[in-house]
Amino acid sequence: MAITRRSFLKIAGGSALASATWQGFGCDIWKSAARRNPDIKVIPTQCQGCGANRCAVFAYVRNGRVWKIEGNPEANNNLGTVCPRGHGYIHELYDPHRIKQPLKRNESGGYEPISWEQAFSEISTQLNLIMMDNGPQSVFWLHYPMANAALGFRFMHSLGSPNIFSHGSTCFTARNAAFNATCGGLPGVDLKNSRYTIIVGRNPSGGIKLQQMKDLTYAKENGGKIVVVDPRHSETAIIADEWLPVKPGTDLALILAMLNVIIEEGLYDKDFVKKNTVGFDRLQDEIIAYPPEWAEKVCDIPKDTIYRVARELAANKPTALVHRGYHGGYGASYKNSFQTARAIAIINAVIGNYERKGGLYMPLRPELGELKEGGHPSPDIPQIPKADGSGIPGRYPAGSYSDGITHAIPELALSGELKAGIVYHSNPARTNPNPQRVIAGYKKLDLLVVIDCIMSETASMAHYVLPESFYLERDDNVDTVHSAKTGQLTMVQQVVKPLHDTKNLLEIISGLAQGVGIGRYFTFSLDDLNGYRLKPFGITLAELKEKGLISVGEPWKEGFRKAATPSGKIEIYSEKLDKWGVDPLPRWQEPLVTPDTADPHSFRLLHGKQALQTNSMTVHIPILMEASKRTDSVRLLMNRQRAAAIGLEDGDTVRLRSQIGSGNIRVRLTDGLHPSAVWLPSGFGIFSRHLTAVYGMGISYNDFCPTYFDPVVGHCMSSEIIVRVEKA
Ligand SMILES: Nc1nc2c(c(=O)[nH]1)N[C@H]1C(S)=C(S)[C@@H](COP(=O)(O)OP(=O)(O)OC[C@H]3O[C@@H](n4cnc5c(=O)[nH]c(N)nc54)[C@H](O)[C@@H]3O)O[C@H]1N2
Ligand SMILES: Nc1nc2c(c(=O)[nH]1)N[C@H]1C(S)=C(S)[C@@H](COP(=O)(O)OP(=O)(O)OC[C@H]3O[C@@H](n4cnc5c(=O)[nH]c(N)nc54)[C@H](O)[C@@H]3O)O[C@H]1N2
Ligand SMILES: [Mo]
């Protein structure tokens, strides 16, 4: 391991000293003095430095300038903290890269500023022509699903198109579909109270979720054990009691073997299994095929470790859990990711931890009020199947209507099925696999409109670019993202007036709606909409704006009642999957590709989050990029022994080649990585020529990833990449 216990203690000791000195400066006194300063306004809002967590924060404004944000201590997702990306992201407000007015592409490929009126009029004229010739389903909408996602659905449903997409097929759709099939939704994890936590391919310290890190450290301080299963010694592994360096793509074998031990040795929760699950007996029949003796040869974790960890997990039941994961391990990574996630949902059921303290629970999402109750009827859902085949038996049966398959868009554009698209808060040219193919597809569209704050790779291809006001400049939709064991309402609230000629999403959509004949669906203001959303709780918009966060509803109570599955129980065996021709029980399945063991240059290419950057959206922010440079993090991790075998030294530049792409990067050698893989931080590889300061900085795993669709949900299998690595 790269980090020995001694060196870890040294680091930990060092930072304790640093924070003691910081306290000595009287930082808290300074902070409370700042709060009392009448020149300083403190306005609650919601950070948008990543779409995933949307932390509730307080923005500090002096002389009309925002200079910092602080975390809201009551917020479930961040518990008073802000991550480096959140601190860095406020600088985008004043960033010269921002789009300052609507832009139209000219003949020579450059952009010219136009008025909003001209943009709305020309875009709607072109949409009308395209829909007249090809039908409304030839128009698609792609968004990062934020609090305002319902507006995109409303717009598309009013037009009559079902072709709405999120980035899910590149992030989480395997996991979501598996938990939906098993327990009818995506549970939360009570890490704080768990006595024994196994985290498989999730890294809340680098793929940041602040509340989870706080909960993990709390549990650890109180004697809980943490086991991290990751081919890489991740930032979360640093605080774990145990790191299991699994062979990438084989977690399914590990979980099946743990199920084997727990079931064969009778360590499961018999009462819970009997009352609340279906199909346990069929799992019991099949699981004998997967003993730890078999699994160790597949996943590289010794059989004795598998026996011990399985027994320890069961011994702590039901106050124990296997994390529900997110992206890296099985969100959209491998051909077997759907079944890996199913096995993880099932192992939690077998130890009876659903709706138990220290286990899994369904977050208490408050039911927001709807526009239709305010006299604004919803458009009908179009009775046309989605063009990508998601949710259609025989194609991608477990795919979801609301996420779709985002990386199918370029294929559907190339085939002529999709003709026009609006992309909101998403950057598929950089975040989808196989960029050459993505660019070819998006370029073939007759009309591409991108709504962003900067000239992303995708915006740089658009016919029209519409600038949304930055989050600190706008109000947005009331949000429930913080809901966990309590329901919580938050919102993005305007902190300063827009600096440029920009609008919020509702204003942009309403502007387009008039010209395409669906204006009657958009006759409300954002304040109206938020008022309807809040109505069921008897809370006014003014109250929410003042407090920034309000908890609503009854708090969570222990006790499993009913799952939102066809049987009302947790489905260990799934009839529905069987009907679709998908394995109804998790069974071992190889990943799609395997490195060539005879070739010392052959590796699997893995990727992952780094604490300083978000997806493709922050690298151009100078303070964050500077931090990445100072920590020298634009590097490819490689196992030290494997590097030695091909004559590489730390810092050497290597050339990576896959079946679809190539690129150069410096290596960082480590003992903390499974020898079969190399690992790339996922924020770099920016190729928008408009982002001059970071153009060409680093490479992205997408440059190497072929266009794949897994057969169950159509996700992109972003870790099924083999690369040859040679000294450049
Ligand atoms: N700093 C930062 N935080 C973020 C984001 C960001 O861009 N930057 N993005 C947000 C978003 S959109 C998401 S989806 C989440 C993602 O959050 P995570 O899923 O936690 O993040 P990842 O880094 O993608 O993957 C987690 C770990 O999976 C490991 N892994 C890779 N392959 C395998 C495997 O085969 N088996 C196992 N067991 N482990 C494997 C990686 O080494 C990595 O350490 O993070 C969110 N938070
Ligand atoms: N290269 C690369 N590819 C990835 C990943 C990665 O880390 N790196 N991660 C994978 C995962 S886990 C995910 S979730 C997806 C995410 O993929 P995307 O959905 O493409 O998300 P982001 O990369 O976060 O890009 C969001 C875009 O929204 C813009 N934006 C930011 N704030 C606002 C705003 O307030 N309004 C508007 N209108 N636009 C805004 C940003 O400038 C950026 O262009 O990518 C997947 N693919
Ligand atoms: Mo994600």
Side-chain angles (χ1 to χ4, degrees):
M1 255 168 54
I3 298 185
T4 61
R5 181 150 180 85
R6 215 179 51 212
S7 68
F8 169 63
L9 287 175
K10 242 161 78 188
I11 299 166
S15 64
L17 195 72
S19 66
T21 328
W22 191 235
Q23 292 299 326
F25 270 118
C27 185
D28 285 340
I29 298 168
W30 181 81
K31 270 185 344 199
S32 60
R35 270 198 207 98
R36 287 195 303 272
N37 184 335
D39 297 338
I40 295 171
K41 278 193 285 177
V42 181
I43 302 169
T45 186
Q46 197 198 54
C47 176
Q48 306 282 286
C50 76
N53 300 327
R54 318 210 283 262
C55 296
V57 295
F58 298 103
Y60 284 66
V61 189
R62 187 170 46 200
N63 300 330
R65 261 185 96 85
V66 181
W67 94 94
K68 68 163 180 172
I69 55 172
E70 279 183 1
N72 183 330
E74 313 213 331
N76 282 334
N77 280 359
N78 55 305
L79 303 169
T81 49
V82 175
C83 83
R85 301 166 300 148
H87 288 299
Y89 195 54
I90 63 171
H91 294 267
E92 179 149 308
L93 176 61
Y94 305 109
D95 195 300
H97 291 111
R98 278 191 60 192
I99 312 163
K100 301 184 178 70
Q101 63 279 303
L103 300 174
K104 178 184 180 176
R105 197 182 176 84
N106 62 26
E107 304 273 286
S108 55
Y111 284 91
E112 277 156 29
I114 55 171
S115 69
W116 281 100
E117 292 68 32
Q118 186 185 345
F120 290 148
S121 151
E122 291 186 11
I123 293 168
S124 48
T125 301
Q126 291 183 40
L127 279 173
N128 283 328
L129 285 172
I130 291 168
M131 290 190 290
M132 192 59 78
D133 290 345
N134 306 281
Q137 74 284 359
S138 67
V139 180
F140 73 89
W141 179 276
L142 164 61
H143 57 195
Y144 196 124
M146 307 296 285
N148 55 19
L151 294 175
F153 282 95
R154 189 174 182 87
F155 182 78
M156 294 302 283
H157 289 168
S158 310
L159 289 180
S161 174
N163 289 318
I164 303 148
F165 303 86
S166 80
H167 60 232
S169 69
T170 65
C171 175
F172 56 70
T173 49
R175 173 202 64 168
N176 282 19
F179 275 92
N180 279 336
T182 315
C183 60
L186 187 65
V189 280
D190 184 3
L191 300 170
K192 186 174 179 182
N193 295 303
S194 168
R195 307 296 304 158
Y196 196 91
T197 295
I198 303 180
I199 306 179
V200 183
R202 172 77 173 102
N203 178 27
S205 170
I208 296 178
K209 174 109 178 181
L210 295 162
Q211 164 251 334
Q212 292 195 358
M213 282 317 288
K214 277 206 153 190
D215 284 358
L216 283 171
T217 45
Y218 177 94
K220 194 175 159 70
E221 275 163 18
N222 288 282
K225 270 199 91 178
I226 301 163
V227 178
V228 164
V229 181
D230 196 310
R232 178 182 65 113
H233 191 261
S234 69
E235 295 83 347
T236 307
I238 295 172
I239 68 151
D241 296 275
E242 199 165 351
W243 169 48
L244 307 185
V246 68
K247 180 171 171 188
T250 67
D251 301 273
L252 179 56
L254 174 68
I255 304 295
L256 288 172
M258 288 175 55
L259 276 166
N260 170 288
V261 176
I262 293 171
I263 294 173
E264 289 290 286
E265 298 186 359
L267 307 175
Y268 56 97
D269 185 331
K270 293 171 190 92
D271 191 46
F272 185 90
V273 163
K274 190 157 162 240
K275 277 201 204 122
N276 302 319
T277 69
V278 292
F280 178 80
D281 47 340
R282 302 173 89 147
L283 177 65
Q284 197 167 22
D285 288 345
E286 290 200 10
I287 205 71
I288 50 171
Y290 307 116
E293 290 74 10
W294 161 81
E296 74 172 354
K297 294 188 215 101
V298 180
C299 70
D300 286 355
I301 305 299
K303 64 177 187 316
D304 293 344
T305 307
I306 304 177
Y307 275 111
R308 180 175 49 75
V309 169
R311 288 170 187 154
E312 285 172 0
L313 177 74
N316 285 284
K317 72 176 181 298
T319 322
L321 63 88
V322 183
H323 196 295
R324 66 158 202 210
Y326 199 163
H327 171 71
Y330 46 86
S333 311
Y334 302 96
K335 195 174 167 201
N336 60 20
S337 285
F338 174 78
Q339 294 297 354
T340 305
R342 275 269 292 151
I344 285 175
I346 289 169
I347 198 169
N348 283 297
V350 161
I351 59 168
N353 72 8
Y354 279 76
E355 303 298 348
R356 298 292 275 273
K357 198 175 167 189
L360 307 190
Y361 63 94
M362 284 300 163
L364 300 175
R365 277 274 148 100
E367 291 257 349
L368 294 171
E370 289 183 51
L371 281 164
K372 60 178 180 234
E373 289 139 27
H376 299 277
S378 304
D380 293 333
I381 296 177
Q383 295 304 304
I384 312 171
K386 283 188 87 137
D388 59 14
S390 53
I392 299 176
R395 292 185 69 191
Y396 302 103
S400 92
Y401 177 82
S402 59
D403 292 312
I405 303 172
T406 186
H407 65 295
I409 293 172
E411 302 304 316
L412 296 165
L414 286 167
S415 75
E417 242 182 287
L418 295 178
K419 296 283 187 193
I422 302 177
V423 175
Y424 172 69
H425 197 306
S426 195
N427 183 19
R430 181 61 292 178
T431 56
N432 283 8
N434 204 346
Q436 284 184 6
R437 189 91 185 153
V438 179
I439 292 166
Y442 276 83
K443 278 206 169 145
K444 181 131 191 278
L445 293 168
D446 294 341
L447 175 65
L448 175 61
V449 178
V450 171
I451 306 168
D452 206 304
C453 301
I454 54 152
M455 288 301 277
S456 68
E457 283 76 3
T458 313
S460 310
M461 287 194 293
H463 299 98
Y464 294 89
V465 184
L466 305 180
E468 186 171 32
S469 307
F470 191 60
Y471 87 92
L472 293 164
E473 301 171 320
R474 68 176 196 250
D475 279 357
D476 212 317
N477 295 33
V478 171
D479 198 2
T480 58
V481 72
H482 284 266
S483 301
K485 283 187 162 182
T486 47
Q488 290 193 333
L489 303 172
T490 55
M491 68 181 283
V492 168
Q493 168 169 214
Q494 186 181 65
V495 172
V496 290
K497 293 251 153 55
L499 300 179
H500 310 294
D501 186 13
T502 57
K503 292 184 186 294
N504 70 34
L505 181 64
L506 179 59
E507 289 165 341
I508 295 172
I509 287 190
S510 304
L512 291 172
Q514 296 302 332
V516 288
I518 55 169
R520 69 186 179 285
Y521 287 107
F522 292 92
T523 55
F524 50 88
S525 68
L526 186 56
D527 282 359
D528 294 339
L529 167 67
N530 281 331
Y532 301 135
R533 285 197 161 192
L534 290 173
K535 209 165 162 214
F537 314 101
I539 295 169
T540 65
L541 187 56
E543 280 174 86
L544 182 61
K545 285 187 165 185
E546 198 211 315
K547 298 199 171 110
L549 180 147
I550 298 180
S551 295
V552 293
E554 293 290 305
W556 176 85
K557 275 201 229 38
E558 226 178 0
F560 181 84
R561 282 163 284 275
K562 194 166 183 286
T565 57
S567 63
K569 301 192 175 208
I570 295 170
E571 303 206 338
I572 293 176
Y573 183 96
S574 165
E575 301 275 356
K576 193 166 74 180
L577 291 179
D578 192 40
K579 231 173 47 214
W580 289 338
V582 177
D583 272 350
L585 283 172
R587 293 169 181 144
W588 170 242
Q589 196 183 1
E590 294 283 345
L592 183 71
V593 296
T594 320
D596 179 357
T597 46
D599 177 0
H601 297 275
S602 175
F603 294 84
R604 183 186 292 279
L605 177 62
L606 298 180
H607 63 273
K609 309 299 181 193
Q610 44 172 329
L612 294 168
Q613 306 290 351
T614 300
N615 304 341
S616 75
M617 63 168 265
T618 53
V619 184
H620 64 280
I621 296 169
I623 195 168
L624 288 174
M625 192 58 218
E626 189 54 33
S628 285
K629 281 188 192 154
R630 288 196 194 180
T631 49
D632 192 12
S633 33
V634 192
R635 296 255 215 143
L636 176 78
L637 297 188
M638 181 186 271
N639 176 281
R640 201 180 298 281
Q641 268 98 46
R642 287 290 309 266
I646 53 174
L648 287 175
E649 284 176 25
D650 192 66
D652 280 351
T653 299
V654 293
R655 184 152 191 81
L656 261 65
R657 237 183 271 270
S658 80
Q659 80 192 72
I660 67 143
S662 61
N664 289 9
I665 188 161
R666 288 168 64 228
V667 284
R668 185 194 295 284
L669 305 189
T670 172
D671 299 315
L673 182 65
H674 191 278
S676 67
V678 284
W679 192 97
L680 198 58
S682 63
F684 304 113
I686 295 305
F687 64 88
S688 163
R689 289 194 180 273
H690 298 271
L691 303 177
T692 42
V694 287
Y695 175 80
M697 177 95 61
I699 54 177
S700 162
Y701 67 97
N702 289 311
D703 301 336
F704 304 91
C705 190
T707 309
Y708 291 131
F709 301 95
D710 106 290
V712 183
V713 299
H715 70 76
C716 73
M717 303 200 265
S718 58
S719 298
E720 299 280 19
I721 309 174
I722 303 300
V723 285
R724 276 201 104 238
V725 184
E726 283 171 326
K727 197 162 177 168

